[in-house]
């Protein structure tokens, strides 16, 4: 078993170290992560400049090989799978992200995107996030990761590839919380952009924080984590509005 690990918070992030430690001994592991924090970069690929890969010198202790890329989370997994690794990993893991990736977050998330890049290449993949920022209770989150990955490996990876989005409450007892299979909720629109003036007197804009949960009913990721559960959402990539295909056909399709 070979696992590729990436993230979007950068190769120095505590959540990445926690993820690596969590799967120790379960499989052969390689880490290819972004050089910088690349949160919110979604599935972006870097096409306007070449990418470089740098080896993180091992600190003497025998650990998995870690490299970083001066690019996005998707770049990392893309480069890894299309040439750098020289083999096809059995599983791609991403995270553990600092902060929730629930509902609409999944469209912006680099953590989800890194896993999705694996999934797009037919490799099963799991994205892990903690519901709150601050890197608290990472050990407990790591235990959740380990038991989940162990279970997935035990069940075998031979079926259809899958993409799971896991959100873990920052709690010391996270590993004894129930796990719920959920659907994505929805957020309110983001908070307004924050306008400031730079030292040259020009207006600058900071993207505001994500909105609060709007659709957080039973069965959603928001509901599960708010009620003390680990949320696991199986994701797909097809954005087609299947339900409205007939409506659009009648409205816009040319007559036969
Ligand atoms: Mn992040």
């Amino acid at each position: 078993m070979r696992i590729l690990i990436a993230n979007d918070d950068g190769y120095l992030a505590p959540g990445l170290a926690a993820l690596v430690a969590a799967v120790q001994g379960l499989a052969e592991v390689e880490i290819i992560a972004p050089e910088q924090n690349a949160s919110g970069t979604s599935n972006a690929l870097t096409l306007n400049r070449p990418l470089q890969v740098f080896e993180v010198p091992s600190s003497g202790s025998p650990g998995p090989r870690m490299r970083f890329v001066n690019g996005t989370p998707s770049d990392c997994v893309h480069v890894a799978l299309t040439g750098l690794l020289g083999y096809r990993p059995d599983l791609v893991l991403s995270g553990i992200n600092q902060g929730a990736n629930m509902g609409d977050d999944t469209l912006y998330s680099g953590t989800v995107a890194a896993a999705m890049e694996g999934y797009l290449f037919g490799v099963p993949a799991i994205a892990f996030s903690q519901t709150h920022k601050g890197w608290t209770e990472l050990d407990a989150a790591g235990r959740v990761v380990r038991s989940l990955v162990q279970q997935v490996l035990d069940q075998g990876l031979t079926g259809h590839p899958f993409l799971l989005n896991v959100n873990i409450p920052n709690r010391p007892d996270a590993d004894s919380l129930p796990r719920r299979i959920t659907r994505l909720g929805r957020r309110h629109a983001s908070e307004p952009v924050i306008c400031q003036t730079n030292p040259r007197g020009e207006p600058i804009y900071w993207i505001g924080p994500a909105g609060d949960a709007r659709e957080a009913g039973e069965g959603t990721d928001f509901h599960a984590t708010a009620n003390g559960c680990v949320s696991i959402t199986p994701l797909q990539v097809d954005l087609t509005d299947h339900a409205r295909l007939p409506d659009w056909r009648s409205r816009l399709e040319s007559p036969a």
Side-chain angles (χ1 to χ4, degrees), residues 194-206:
I194 297 148
C195 183
Q196 297 175 331
T197 304
N198 77 6
R200 289 182 213 85
E202 300 152 340
I204 54 171
Y205 299 89
W206 293 93

Side-chain angles (χ1 to χ4, degrees), residues 27-228:
E28 229 173 274
V29 169
E30 281 203 64
I31 305 127
I32 301 180
E35 179 176 21
Q36 305 280 340
N37 187 329
S39 296
T41 55
S42 189
N43 299 80
L45 290 175
T46 301
L47 302 177
N48 58 351
R49 59 175 175 83
L51 296 165
Q52 277 188 284
V53 181
F54 303 89
E55 183 104 24
V56 180
S58 79
S59 53
S61 52
R65 183 177 191 191
M66 185 190 284
R67 286 174 282 185
F68 63 86
V69 177
N70 58 348
T72 66
S74 293
D75 287 334
C76 293
V77 176
H78 193 96
V79 168
L81 296 184
T82 58
L84 186 60
L85 287 183
Y87 62 85
R88 184 185 171 83
D90 301 288
L91 186 64
V92 172
L93 302 178
S94 176
I96 302 170
N97 187 61
Q98 174 171 220
N101 277 310
M102 300 192 287
D104 319 8
D105 303 337
T106 51
L107 292 173
Y108 299 97
S109 166
T111 303
V112 173
M116 192 181 290
E117 194 67 14
Y119 175 69
L120 291 172
F121 280 90
V123 181
I126 312 176
F128 293 99
S129 305
Q130 282 191 303
T131 54
H132 291 86
K133 293 182 189 286
W135 304 122
T136 57
E137 311 302 348
L138 260 181
D139 289 347
R143 293 193 292 274
V144 173
V145 169
R146 186 175 181 85
S147 76
L148 241 169
V149 170
Q150 176 82 74
Q151 202 168 336
V152 161
L153 291 178
D154 287 348
Q155 290 171 1
L157 298 168
T158 47
H160 266 289
F162 53 80
L163 174 58
L164 300 180
N165 182 44
V166 180
N167 282 276
I168 305 166
N170 301 49
R171 289 172 46 156
D173 60 348
D175 53 324
S176 53
L177 298 176
R179 303 197 297 228
R180 292 280 176 263
I181 298 297
T182 58
R183 61 188 156 84
L184 298 178
R186 295 288 304 277
R187 284 191 187 276
H188 285 284
S190 292
E191 300 293 318
V193 73
I194 297 148
C195 183
Q196 297 175 331
T197 304
N198 77 6
R200 289 182 213 85
E202 300 152 340
I204 54 171
Y205 299 89
W206 293 93
I207 298 287
D212 289 330
R214 172 160 61 94
E215 212 284 82
E218 192 143 12
T220 64
D221 43 7
F222 289 110
H223 188 274
T225 54
N227 287 278

